[in-house]
Amino acid sequence: DAGVIQSPRHEVTEMGQEVTLRCKPISGHDYLFWYRQTMMRGLELLIYFNNNVPIDDSGMPEDRFSAKMPNASFSTLKIQPSEPRDSAVYFCASRPEGAGANVLTFGAGSRLTVL
Amino acid sequence: AQKITQTQPGMFVQEKEAVTLDCTYDTSDPSYGLFWYKQPSSGEMIFLIYQGSYDQQNATEGRYSLNFQKARKSANLVISASQLGDSAMYFCAMREDASGTYKYIFGTGTRLKVLA
């Protein structure tokens, strides 16, 4: 299993530009989560999906952020327009359905720098 | 209110010694899960250990054990026989199940430095 795959690994952009981060969850995992990590705020849950449906987006900072999951194997997190305060590492994570431990498996993260 | 509290921003431990990283949590859900993750300097998040709220025994995984004290709402991570490679950030996390949301909330982390 290739694990959770995120792209790009690094992104440097200028303020005002659109940024799209991508995630491919582990095959068979029904839940997908987007987190943002900064020194000031730690790991924040932005949004999560179950069976491609957004369940809780209360962590999305503002309207500039949007996330989609058009199918079970792909999700995007878009920031438009980007601002310097959006600089962070964005993690995607997935887990399977069902009871039990259901460990979150994380991708390697996308480090975003907005100049 | 903070759901997960890690009060130790940084810790030092001598190689081969044991170390305890503290975590307290706050929930009214009877069913929940507690997790510890390790984040080395390379940045990836690595799962270490899990404890379910109904588990009677403390979880163990190799050199990692979770000291689960339900009444005190604490879930401390114990690393035995520390190694230089254990130097990393460690995050405690909780998932509340009964509410049906399945959100995983993380603490602010503890940075552990193992000294040779």
Side-chain angles (χ1 to χ4, degrees):
Chain A
D1 195 336
V4 177
I5 300 172
Q6 291 188 246
S7 65
R9 291 294 314 278
H10 302 274
E11 175 92 3
V12 180
T13 191
E14 292 192 345
M15 183 173 64
Q17 297 297 307
E18 178 178 294
V19 173
T20 299
L21 307 178
R22 298 172 176 80
C23 176
K24 176 179 168 55
I26 291 174
S27 177
H29 281 195
D30 298 305
Y31 287 84
L32 184 140
F33 300 75
W34 282 101
Y35 283 87
R36 177 172 70 176
Q37 185 178 32
T38 60
M39 287 292 292
M40 292 296 295
R41 303 173 74 93
L43 266 165
E44 301 173 275
L45 175 62
L46 300 178
I47 185 171
Y48 80 95
F49 296 83
N50 178 215
N51 292 322
N52 313 337
V53 175
I55 301 301
D56 189 331
D57 65 354
S58 59
M60 295 286 263
E62 47 199 273
D63 292 346
R64 296 185 298 106
F65 285 69
S66 62
K68 294 182 179 180
M69 192 164 185
N71 58 62
S73 59
F74 184 65
S75 176
T76 60
L77 178 67
K78 188 172 291 187
I79 309 171
Q80 166 64 19
S82 58
E83 296 182 4
R85 60 190 168 126
D86 301 331
S87 297
V89 179
Y90 291 81
F91 285 102
C92 176
S94 69
R95 57 151 274 195
E97 183 69 82
N102 286 323
V103 173
L104 270 185
T105 302
F106 283 80
S110 294
R111 180 175 296 276
L112 172 65
T113 303
V114 184
L115 303 174
Chain B
Q2 283 276 47
K3 292 263 188 175
I4 294 283
T5 303
Q6 295 181 253
T7 57
Q8 306 153 314
M11 290 275 289
F12 290 94
V13 64
Q14 206 65 38
E15 194 178 11
K16 300 179 185 176
E17 296 293 313
V19 63
T20 297
L21 307 183
D22 295 341
C23 173
T24 58
Y25 59 92
D26 181 27
T27 182
S28 56
D29 252 332
S31 177
Y32 51 90
L34 297 159
F35 303 78
W36 278 91
Y37 282 81
K38 172 184 178 181
Q39 187 177 41
S41 57
S42 50
E44 70 268 35
M45 295 287 286
I46 302 167
F47 166 73
L48 295 178
I49 196 165
Y50 162 81
Q51 179 85 41
S53 60
Y54 293 118
D55 293 343
Q56 295 296 314
Q57 292 189 319
N58 287 343
T60 60
E61 290 284 351
R63 293 186 300 110
Y64 305 108
S65 61
L66 201 152
N67 184 2
F68 180 46
Q69 298 189 41
K70 196 169 184 176
R72 299 176 66 176
K73 293 189 176 178
S74 74
N76 299 339
L77 176 70
V78 180
I79 306 174
S80 63
S82 298
Q83 302 172 355
L84 296 177
D86 294 334
S87 295
M89 280 288 286
Y90 289 81
F91 292 94
C92 180
M94 177 176 67
R95 182 195 70 227
E96 293 172 309
D97 298 338
S99 59
T101 61
Y102 297 111
K103 292 166 74 167
Y104 293 68
I105 307 301
F106 285 77
T108 52
T110 295
R111 184 173 298 280
L112 176 68
K113 176 71 174 175
V114 180
L115 304 173

